[in-house]
PDB file of all heavy atoms in Angstrom:
ATOM      1  N   TRP P1539      -3.052  23.388   3.695  1.00 93.00           N
ATOM      2  CA  TRP P1539      -1.755  22.904   4.161  1.00 93.00           C
ATOM      3  C   TRP P1539      -0.954  22.519   2.922  1.00 93.00           C
ATOM      4  O   TRP P1539      -1.433  22.622   1.799  1.00 93.00           O
ATOM      5  CB  TRP P1539      -1.926  21.749   5.149  1.00 93.00           C
ATOM      6  CG  TRP P1539      -2.807  20.642   4.671  1.00 93.00           C
ATOM      7  CD1 TRP P1539      -4.165  20.647   4.591  1.00 93.00           C
ATOM      8  CD2 TRP P1539      -2.378  19.363   4.182  1.00 93.00           C
ATOM      9  NE1 TRP P1539      -4.634  19.473   4.090  1.00 93.00           N
ATOM     10  CE2 TRP P1539      -3.562  18.657   3.831  1.00 93.00           C
ATOM     11  CE3 TRP P1539      -1.162  18.732   4.027  1.00 93.00           C
ATOM     12  CZ2 TRP P1539      -3.526  17.355   3.324  1.00 93.00           C
ATOM     13  CZ3 TRP P1539      -1.126  17.442   3.515  1.00 93.00           C
ATOM     14  CH2 TRP P1539      -2.294  16.773   3.176  1.00 93.00           C
ATOM     15  N   SER P1540       0.276  22.061   3.100  1.00 94.00           N
ATOM     16  CA  SER P1540       1.173  21.860   1.962  1.00 94.00           C
ATOM     17  C   SER P1540       0.653  20.852   0.951  1.00 94.00           C
ATOM     18  O   SER P1540       0.811  21.034  -0.257  1.00 94.00           O
ATOM     19  CB  SER P1540       2.561  21.423   2.460  1.00 94.00           C
ATOM     20  OG  SER P1540       2.506  20.108   3.006  1.00 94.00           O
ATOM     21  N   GLY P1541       0.047  19.770   1.413  1.00 95.00           N
ATOM     22  CA  GLY P1541      -0.412  18.721   0.506  1.00 95.00           C
ATOM     23  C   GLY P1541       0.592  17.595   0.342  1.00 95.00           C
ATOM     24  O   GLY P1541       0.345  16.655  -0.411  1.00 95.00           O
ATOM     25  N   GLY P1542       1.746  17.656   1.046  1.00 96.00           N
ATOM     26  CA  GLY P1542       2.752  16.609   0.971  1.00 96.00           C
ATOM     27  C   GLY P1542       2.434  15.434   1.873  1.00 96.00           C
ATOM     28  O   GLY P1542       1.605  15.520   2.788  1.00 96.00           O
ATOM     29  N   ILE P1543       3.121  14.324   1.638  1.00 96.00           N
ATOM     30  CA  ILE P1543       2.840  13.083   2.351  1.00 96.00           C
ATOM     31  C   ILE P1543       3.109  13.204   3.846  1.00 96.00           C
ATOM     32  O   ILE P1543       2.321  12.722   4.663  1.00 96.00           O
ATOM     33  CB  ILE P1543       3.671  11.930   1.751  1.00 96.00           C
ATOM     34  CG1 ILE P1543       3.078  11.524   0.394  1.00 96.00           C
ATOM     35  CG2 ILE P1543       3.711  10.727   2.684  1.00 96.00           C
ATOM     36  CD1 ILE P1543       3.899  10.486  -0.329  1.00 96.00           C
ATOM     37  N   TYR P1544       4.217  13.850   4.226  1.00 96.00           N
ATOM     38  CA  TYR P1544       4.552  13.888   5.647  1.00 96.00           C
ATOM     39  C   TYR P1544       3.502  14.652   6.439  1.00 96.00           C
ATOM     40  O   TYR P1544       3.054  14.198   7.490  1.00 96.00           O
ATOM     41  CB  TYR P1544       5.933  14.504   5.884  1.00 96.00           C
ATOM     42  CG  TYR P1544       6.325  14.468   7.340  1.00 96.00           C
ATOM     43  CD1 TYR P1544       6.514  13.251   7.984  1.00 96.00           C
ATOM     44  CD2 TYR P1544       6.474  15.634   8.086  1.00 96.00           C
ATOM     45  CE1 TYR P1544       6.853  13.191   9.336  1.00 96.00           C
ATOM     46  CE2 TYR P1544       6.811  15.583   9.435  1.00 96.00           C
ATOM     47  CZ  TYR P1544       6.996  14.363  10.056  1.00 96.00           C
ATOM     48  OH  TYR P1544       7.322  14.300  11.393  1.00 96.00           O
ATOM     49  N   GLU P1545       3.080  15.813   5.935  1.00 96.00           N
ATOM     50  CA  GLU P1545       2.071  16.577   6.670  1.00 96.00           C
ATOM     51  C   GLU P1545       0.740  15.842   6.681  1.00 96.00           C
ATOM     52  O   GLU P1545      -0.004  15.887   7.663  1.00 96.00           O
ATOM     53  CB  GLU P1545       1.923  17.978   6.081  1.00 96.00           C
ATOM     54  CG  GLU P1545       1.126  18.886   6.996  1.00 96.00           C
ATOM     55  CD  GLU P1545       1.197  20.350   6.605  1.00 96.00           C
ATOM     56  OE1 GLU P1545       1.896  20.689   5.628  1.00 96.00           O
ATOM     57  OE2 GLU P1545       0.532  21.160   7.284  1.00 96.00           O
ATOM     58  N   PHE P1546       0.426  15.124   5.589  1.00 97.00           N
ATOM     59  CA  PHE P1546      -0.787  14.308   5.554  1.00 97.00           C
ATOM     60  C   PHE P1546      -0.727  13.240   6.648  1.00 97.00           C
ATOM     61  O   PHE P1546      -1.675  13.053   7.408  1.00 97.00           O
ATOM     62  CB  PHE P1546      -0.931  13.653   4.185  1.00 97.00           C
ATOM     63  CG  PHE P1546      -2.121  12.741   4.051  1.00 97.00           C
ATOM     64  CD1 PHE P1546      -3.400  13.257   3.880  1.00 97.00           C
ATOM     65  CD2 PHE P1546      -1.965  11.359   4.076  1.00 97.00           C
ATOM     66  CE1 PHE P1546      -4.506  12.418   3.751  1.00 97.00           C
ATOM     67  CE2 PHE P1546      -3.059  10.510   3.947  1.00 97.00           C
ATOM     68  CZ  PHE P1546      -4.325  11.038   3.778  1.00 97.00           C
ATOM     69  N   TYR P1547       0.408  12.564   6.736  1.00 96.00           N
ATOM     70  CA  TYR P1547       0.589  11.525   7.748  1.00 96.00           C
ATOM     71  C   TYR P1547       0.406  12.096   9.153  1.00 96.00           C
ATOM     72  O   TYR P1547      -0.299  11.518   9.994  1.00 96.00           O
ATOM     73  CB  TYR P1547       1.974  10.902   7.582  1.00 96.00           C
ATOM     74  CG  TYR P1547       2.454  10.130   8.773  1.00 96.00           C
ATOM     75  CD1 TYR P1547       1.979   8.848   9.038  1.00 96.00           C
ATOM     76  CD2 TYR P1547       3.395  10.680   9.653  1.00 96.00           C
ATOM     77  CE1 TYR P1547       2.411   8.143  10.151  1.00 96.00           C
ATOM     78  CE2 TYR P1547       3.831   9.970  10.760  1.00 96.00           C
ATOM     79  CZ  TYR P1547       3.338   8.713  11.004  1.00 96.00           C
ATOM     80  OH  TYR P1547       3.760   8.014  12.115  1.00 96.00           O
ATOM     81  N   ILE P1548       1.041  13.238   9.441  1.00 95.00           N
ATOM     82  CA  ILE P1548       0.945  13.855  10.768  1.00 95.00           C
ATOM     83  C   ILE P1548      -0.499  14.237  11.075  1.00 95.00           C
ATOM     84  O   ILE P1548      -1.018  13.978  12.174  1.00 95.00           O
ATOM     85  CB  ILE P1548       1.860  15.101  10.840  1.00 95.00           C
ATOM     86  CG1 ILE P1548       3.333  14.687  10.798  1.00 95.00           C
ATOM     87  CG2 ILE P1548       1.574  15.905  12.096  1.00 95.00           C
ATOM     88  CD1 ILE P1548       3.774  13.848  11.968  1.00 95.00           C
ATOM     89  N   ARG P1549      -1.169  14.867  10.125  1.00 95.00           N
ATOM     90  CA  ARG P1549      -2.540  15.330  10.351  1.00 95.00           C
ATOM     91  C   ARG P1549      -3.496  14.154  10.548  1.00 95.00           C
ATOM     92  O   ARG P1549      -4.372  14.187  11.425  1.00 95.00           O
ATOM     93  CB  ARG P1549      -3.003  16.201   9.181  1.00 95.00           C
ATOM     94  CG  ARG P1549      -2.380  17.595   9.177  1.00 95.00           C
ATOM     95  CD  ARG P1549      -2.725  18.382   7.914  1.00 95.00           C
ATOM     96  NE  ARG P1549      -2.242  19.746   8.022  1.00 95.00           N
ATOM     97  CZ  ARG P1549      -2.967  20.778   8.444  1.00 95.00           C
ATOM     98  NH1 ARG P1549      -4.227  20.587   8.806  1.00 95.00           N
ATOM     99  NH2 ARG P1549      -2.449  21.978   8.521  1.00 95.00           N
ATOM    100  N   VAL P1550      -3.350  13.118   9.709  1.00 95.00           N
ATOM    101  CA  VAL P1550      -4.255  11.974   9.834  1.00 95.00           C
ATOM    102  C   VAL P1550      -4.045  11.267  11.169  1.00 95.00           C
ATOM    103  O   VAL P1550      -5.009  10.935  11.864  1.00 95.00           O
ATOM    104  CB  VAL P1550      -4.053  11.000   8.658  1.00 95.00           C
ATOM    105  CG1 VAL P1550      -4.807   9.684   8.913  1.00 95.00           C
ATOM    106  CG2 VAL P1550      -4.546  11.630   7.359  1.00 95.00           C
ATOM    107  N   CYS P1551      -2.785  11.051  11.568  1.00 94.00           N
ATOM    108  CA  CYS P1551      -2.520  10.373  12.840  1.00 94.00           C
ATOM    109  C   CYS P1551      -3.022  11.196  14.025  1.00 94.00           C
ATOM    110  O   CYS P1551      -3.570  10.649  14.984  1.00 94.00           O
ATOM    111  CB  CYS P1551      -1.026  10.086  12.974  1.00 94.00           C
ATOM    112  SG  CYS P1551      -0.440   8.779  11.867  1.00 94.00           S
ATOM    113  N   ALA P1552      -2.837  12.526  13.964  1.00 93.00           N
ATOM    114  CA  ALA P1552      -3.296  13.379  15.061  1.00 93.00           C
ATOM    115  C   ALA P1552      -4.815  13.372  15.164  1.00 93.00           C
ATOM    116  O   ALA P1552      -5.378  13.488  16.260  1.00 93.00           O
ATOM    117  CB  ALA P1552      -2.792  14.808  14.844  1.00 93.00           C
ATOM    118  N   ARG P1553      -5.481  13.216  14.051  1.00 92.00           N
ATOM    119  CA  ARG P1553      -6.940  13.182  14.047  1.00 92.00           C
ATOM    120  C   ARG P1553      -7.476  11.797  14.444  1.00 92.00           C
ATOM    121  O   ARG P1553      -8.418  11.664  15.218  1.00 92.00           O
ATOM    122  CB  ARG P1553      -7.457  13.568  12.663  1.00 92.00           C
ATOM    123  CG  ARG P1553      -8.952  13.412  12.451  1.00 92.00           C
ATOM    124  CD  ARG P1553      -9.749  14.301  13.357  1.00 92.00           C
ATOM    125  NE  ARG P1553     -11.128  13.848  13.469  1.00 92.00           N
ATOM    126  CZ  ARG P1553     -11.965  14.230  14.412  1.00 92.00           C
ATOM    127  NH1 ARG P1553     -11.559  15.079  15.335  1.00 92.00           N
ATOM    128  NH2 ARG P1553     -13.200  13.776  14.454  1.00 92.00           N
ATOM    129  N   LEU P1554      -6.845  10.752  13.934  1.00 92.00           N
ATOM    130  CA  LEU P1554      -7.393   9.405  14.043  1.00 92.00           C
ATOM    131  C   LEU P1554      -6.951   8.652  15.291  1.00 92.00           C
ATOM    132  O   LEU P1554      -7.754   8.033  15.985  1.00 92.00           O
ATOM    133  CB  LEU P1554      -6.989   8.615  12.789  1.00 92.00           C
ATOM    134  CG  LEU P1554      -7.441   7.168  12.650  1.00 92.00           C
ATOM    135  CD1 LEU P1554      -8.962   7.078  12.648  1.00 92.00           C
ATOM    136  CD2 LEU P1554      -6.884   6.573  11.353  1.00 92.00           C
ATOM    137  N   LEU P1555      -5.649   8.706  15.612  1.00 92.00           N
ATOM    138  CA  LEU P1555      -5.124   7.829  16.658  1.00 92.00           C
ATOM    139  C   LEU P1555      -5.577   8.166  18.075  1.00 92.00           C
ATOM    140  O   LEU P1555      -5.852   7.241  18.859  1.00 92.00           O
ATOM    141  CB  LEU P1555      -3.598   7.793  16.580  1.00 92.00           C
ATOM    142  CG  LEU P1555      -3.020   7.264  15.257  1.00 92.00           C
ATOM    143  CD1 LEU P1555      -1.516   7.096  15.361  1.00 92.00           C
ATOM    144  CD2 LEU P1555      -3.672   5.943  14.861  1.00 92.00           C
ATOM    145  N   PRO P1556      -5.663   9.458  18.465  1.00 91.00           N
ATOM    146  CA  PRO P1556      -6.120   9.717  19.837  1.00 91.00           C
ATOM    147  C   PRO P1556      -7.499   9.134  20.125  1.00 91.00           C
ATOM    148  O   PRO P1556      -7.737   8.585  21.206  1.00 91.00           O
ATOM    149  CB  PRO P1556      -6.132  11.252  19.911  1.00 91.00           C
ATOM    150  CG  PRO P1556      -5.121  11.688  18.911  1.00 91.00           C
ATOM    151  CD  PRO P1556      -5.242  10.712  17.788  1.00 91.00           C
ATOM    152  N   GLU P1557      -8.374   9.217  19.166  1.00 86.00           N
ATOM    153  CA  GLU P1557      -9.727   8.679  19.353  1.00 86.00           C
ATOM    154  C   GLU P1557      -9.694   7.157  19.462  1.00 86.00           C
ATOM    155  O   GLU P1557     -10.403   6.558  20.277  1.00 86.00           O
ATOM    156  CB  GLU P1557     -10.614   9.126  18.179  1.00 86.00           C
ATOM    157  CG  GLU P1557     -12.097   8.832  18.385  1.00 86.00           C
ATOM    158  CD  GLU P1557     -12.552   7.582  17.648  1.00 86.00           C
ATOM    159  OE1 GLU P1557     -11.823   7.117  16.754  1.00 86.00           O
ATOM    160  OE2 GLU P1557     -13.625   7.068  17.995  1.00 86.00           O
ATOM    161  N   LEU P1558      -8.816   6.503  18.666  1.00 89.00           N
ATOM    162  CA  LEU P1558      -8.683   5.050  18.761  1.00 89.00           C
ATOM    163  C   LEU P1558      -8.092   4.648  20.108  1.00 89.00           C
ATOM    164  O   LEU P1558      -8.514   3.659  20.714  1.00 89.00           O
ATOM    165  CB  LEU P1558      -7.805   4.523  17.625  1.00 89.00           C
ATOM    166  CG  LEU P1558      -8.370   4.610  16.209  1.00 89.00           C
ATOM    167  CD1 LEU P1558      -7.355   4.059  15.205  1.00 89.00           C
ATOM    168  CD2 LEU P1558      -9.683   3.857  16.079  1.00 89.00           C
ATOM    169  N   ASP P1559      -7.093   5.426  20.579  1.00 88.00           N
ATOM    170  CA  ASP P1559      -6.430   5.094  21.838  1.00 88.00           C
ATOM    171  C   ASP P1559      -7.368   5.185  23.037  1.00 88.00           C
ATOM    172  O   ASP P1559      -7.149   4.520  24.058  1.00 88.00           O
ATOM    173  CB  ASP P1559      -5.223   6.006  22.056  1.00 88.00           C
ATOM    174  CG  ASP P1559      -4.075   5.674  21.121  1.00 88.00           C
ATOM    175  OD1 ASP P1559      -4.096   4.572  20.535  1.00 88.00           O
ATOM    176  OD2 ASP P1559      -3.181   6.520  20.949  1.00 88.00           O
ATOM    177  N   VAL P1560      -8.396   6.009  22.926  1.00 86.00           N
ATOM    178  CA  VAL P1560      -9.369   6.122  24.010  1.00 86.00           C
ATOM    179  C   VAL P1560     -10.198   4.842  24.131  1.00 86.00           C
ATOM    180  O   VAL P1560     -10.487   4.373  25.227  1.00 86.00           O
ATOM    181  CB  VAL P1560     -10.292   7.344  23.778  1.00 86.00           C
ATOM    182  CG1 VAL P1560     -11.492   7.292  24.722  1.00 86.00           C
ATOM    183  CG2 VAL P1560      -9.516   8.630  23.977  1.00 86.00           C
ATOM    184  N   HIS P1561     -10.549   4.260  22.980  1.00 87.00           N
ATOM    185  CA  HIS P1561     -11.479   3.133  22.978  1.00 87.00           C
ATOM    186  C   HIS P1561     -10.820   1.763  22.889  1.00 87.00           C
ATOM    187  O   HIS P1561     -11.437   0.756  23.247  1.00 87.00           O
ATOM    188  CB  HIS P1561     -12.456   3.278  21.806  1.00 87.00           C
ATOM    189  CG  HIS P1561     -13.327   4.500  21.885  1.00 87.00           C
ATOM    190  ND1 HIS P1561     -14.364   4.615  22.771  1.00 87.00           N
ATOM    191  CD2 HIS P1561     -13.269   5.676  21.197  1.00 87.00           C
ATOM    192  CE1 HIS P1561     -14.946   5.802  22.628  1.00 87.00           C
ATOM    193  NE2 HIS P1561     -14.297   6.463  21.674  1.00 87.00           N
ATOM    194  N   TYR P1562      -9.580   1.719  22.405  1.00 89.00           N
ATOM    195  CA  TYR P1562      -8.944   0.425  22.143  1.00 89.00           C
ATOM    196  C   TYR P1562      -7.535   0.386  22.729  1.00 89.00           C
ATOM    197  O   TYR P1562      -6.949   1.428  23.023  1.00 89.00           O
ATOM    198  CB  TYR P1562      -8.879   0.156  20.636  1.00 89.00           C
ATOM    199  CG  TYR P1562     -10.208   0.295  19.940  1.00 89.00           C
ATOM    200  CD1 TYR P1562     -10.458   1.358  19.067  1.00 89.00           C
ATOM    201  CD2 TYR P1562     -11.225  -0.638  20.146  1.00 89.00           C
ATOM    202  CE1 TYR P1562     -11.679   1.491  18.424  1.00 89.00           C
ATOM    203  CE2 TYR P1562     -12.450  -0.517  19.513  1.00 89.00           C
ATOM    204  CZ  TYR P1562     -12.678   0.548  18.654  1.00 89.00           C
ATOM    205  OH  TYR P1562     -13.879   0.671  18.027  1.00 89.00           O
ATOM    206  N   PRO P1563      -6.950  -0.809  22.879  1.00 89.00           N
ATOM    207  CA  PRO P1563      -5.568  -0.918  23.372  1.00 89.00           C
ATOM    208  C   PRO P1563      -4.591  -0.160  22.462  1.00 89.00           C
ATOM    209  O   PRO P1563      -4.844   0.016  21.272  1.00 89.00           O
ATOM    210  CB  PRO P1563      -5.303  -2.427  23.339  1.00 89.00           C
ATOM    211  CG  PRO P1563      -6.663  -3.050  23.433  1.00 89.00           C
ATOM    212  CD  PRO P1563      -7.586  -2.123  22.698  1.00 89.00           C
ATOM    213  N   ALA P1564      -3.441   0.228  23.029  1.00 87.00           N
ATOM    214  CA  ALA P1564      -2.488   1.069  22.300  1.00 87.00           C
ATOM    215  C   ALA P1564      -1.972   0.401  21.040  1.00 87.00           C
ATOM    216  O   ALA P1564      -1.698   1.079  20.039  1.00 87.00           O
ATOM    217  CB  ALA P1564      -1.324   1.434  23.218  1.00 87.00           C
ATOM    218  N   ASP P1565      -1.817  -0.943  21.052  1.00 90.00           N
ATOM    219  CA  ASP P1565      -1.251  -1.594  19.867  1.00 90.00           C
ATOM    220  C   ASP P1565      -2.197  -1.545  18.673  1.00 90.00           C
ATOM    221  O   ASP P1565      -1.769  -1.720  17.528  1.00 90.00           O
ATOM    222  CB  ASP P1565      -0.827  -3.031  20.169  1.00 90.00           C
ATOM    223  CG  ASP P1565      -1.962  -3.890  20.713  1.00 90.00           C
ATOM    224  OD1 ASP P1565      -3.049  -3.351  20.961  1.00 90.00           O
ATOM    225  OD2 ASP P1565      -1.737  -5.104  20.901  1.00 90.00           O
ATOM    226  N   VAL P1566      -3.482  -1.290  18.915  1.00 92.00           N
ATOM    227  CA  VAL P1566      -4.415  -1.126  17.800  1.00 92.00           C
ATOM    228  C   VAL P1566      -4.086   0.141  17.013  1.00 92.00           C
ATOM    229  O   VAL P1566      -3.988   0.132  15.790  1.00 92.00           O
ATOM    230  CB  VAL P1566      -5.876  -1.092  18.302  1.00 92.00           C
ATOM    231  CG1 VAL P1566      -6.831  -0.747  17.156  1.00 92.00           C
ATOM    232  CG2 VAL P1566      -6.248  -2.434  18.921  1.00 92.00           C
ATOM    233  N   GLY P1567      -3.893   1.244  17.740  1.00 91.00           N
ATOM    234  CA  GLY P1567      -3.519   2.482  17.077  1.00 91.00           C
ATOM    235  C   GLY P1567      -2.200   2.350  16.334  1.00 91.00           C
ATOM    236  O   GLY P1567      -2.041   2.871  15.221  1.00 91.00           O
ATOM    237  N   GLU P1568      -1.224   1.655  16.937  1.00 91.00           N
ATOM    238  CA  GLU P1568       0.063   1.464  16.274  1.00 91.00           C
ATOM    239  C   GLU P1568      -0.089   0.634  15.015  1.00 91.00           C
ATOM    240  O   GLU P1568       0.591   0.867  14.011  1.00 91.00           O
ATOM    241  CB  GLU P1568       1.054   0.798  17.230  1.00 91.00           C
ATOM    242  CG  GLU P1568       1.581   1.727  18.305  1.00 91.00           C
ATOM    243  CD  GLU P1568       2.222   2.973  17.705  1.00 91.00           C
ATOM    244  OE1 GLU P1568       3.092   2.846  16.824  1.00 91.00           O
ATOM    245  OE2 GLU P1568       1.825   4.088  18.114  1.00 91.00           O
ATOM    246  N   ALA P1569      -0.982  -0.352  15.041  1.00 92.00           N
ATOM    247  CA  ALA P1569      -1.220  -1.171  13.849  1.00 92.00           C
ATOM    248  C   ALA P1569      -1.856  -0.336  12.737  1.00 92.00           C
ATOM    249  O   ALA P1569      -1.530  -0.501  11.561  1.00 92.00           O
ATOM    250  CB  ALA P1569      -2.111  -2.364  14.201  1.00 92.00           C
ATOM    251  N   VAL P1570      -2.764   0.545  13.106  1.00 94.00           N
ATOM    252  CA  VAL P1570      -3.375   1.434  12.110  1.00 94.00           C
ATOM    253  C   VAL P1570      -2.321   2.369  11.524  1.00 94.00           C
ATOM    254  O   VAL P1570      -2.273   2.612  10.319  1.00 94.00           O
ATOM    255  CB  VAL P1570      -4.543   2.230  12.727  1.00 94.00           C
ATOM    256  CG1 VAL P1570      -5.059   3.286  11.754  1.00 94.00           C
ATOM    257  CG2 VAL P1570      -5.670   1.286  13.133  1.00 94.00           C
ATOM    258  N   ARG P1571      -1.442   2.899  12.388  1.00 93.00           N
ATOM    259  CA  ARG P1571      -0.353   3.745  11.915  1.00 93.00           C
ATOM    260  C   ARG P1571       0.514   2.970  10.901  1.00 93.00           C
ATOM    261  O   ARG P1571       0.885   3.486   9.849  1.00 93.00           O
ATOM    262  CB  ARG P1571       0.510   4.196  13.098  1.00 93.00           C
ATOM    263  CG  ARG P1571       1.639   5.151  12.696  1.00 93.00           C
ATOM    264  CD  ARG P1571       2.683   5.254  13.816  1.00 93.00           C
ATOM    265  NE  ARG P1571       2.118   5.714  15.075  1.00 93.00           N
ATOM    266  CZ  ARG P1571       1.994   6.992  15.407  1.00 93.00           C
ATOM    267  NH1 ARG P1571       2.401   7.932  14.579  1.00 93.00           N
ATOM    268  NH2 ARG P1571       1.480   7.321  16.577  1.00 93.00           N
TER     269      ARG P1571
END
Side-chain angles (χ1 to χ4, degrees):
W1539 51 285
S1540 69
I1543 286 175
Y1544 184 64
E1545 193 168 358
F1546 178 77
Y1547 163 77
I1548 291 297
R1549 286 173 174 265
V1550 170
C1551 288
R1553 173 63 199 163
L1554 180 61
L1555 299 188
E1557 190 260 344
L1558 292 179
D1559 288 344
V1560 167
H1561 297 287
Y1562 307 110
D1565 57 354
V1566 173
E1568 286 304 308
V1570 172
R1571 183 196 302 272

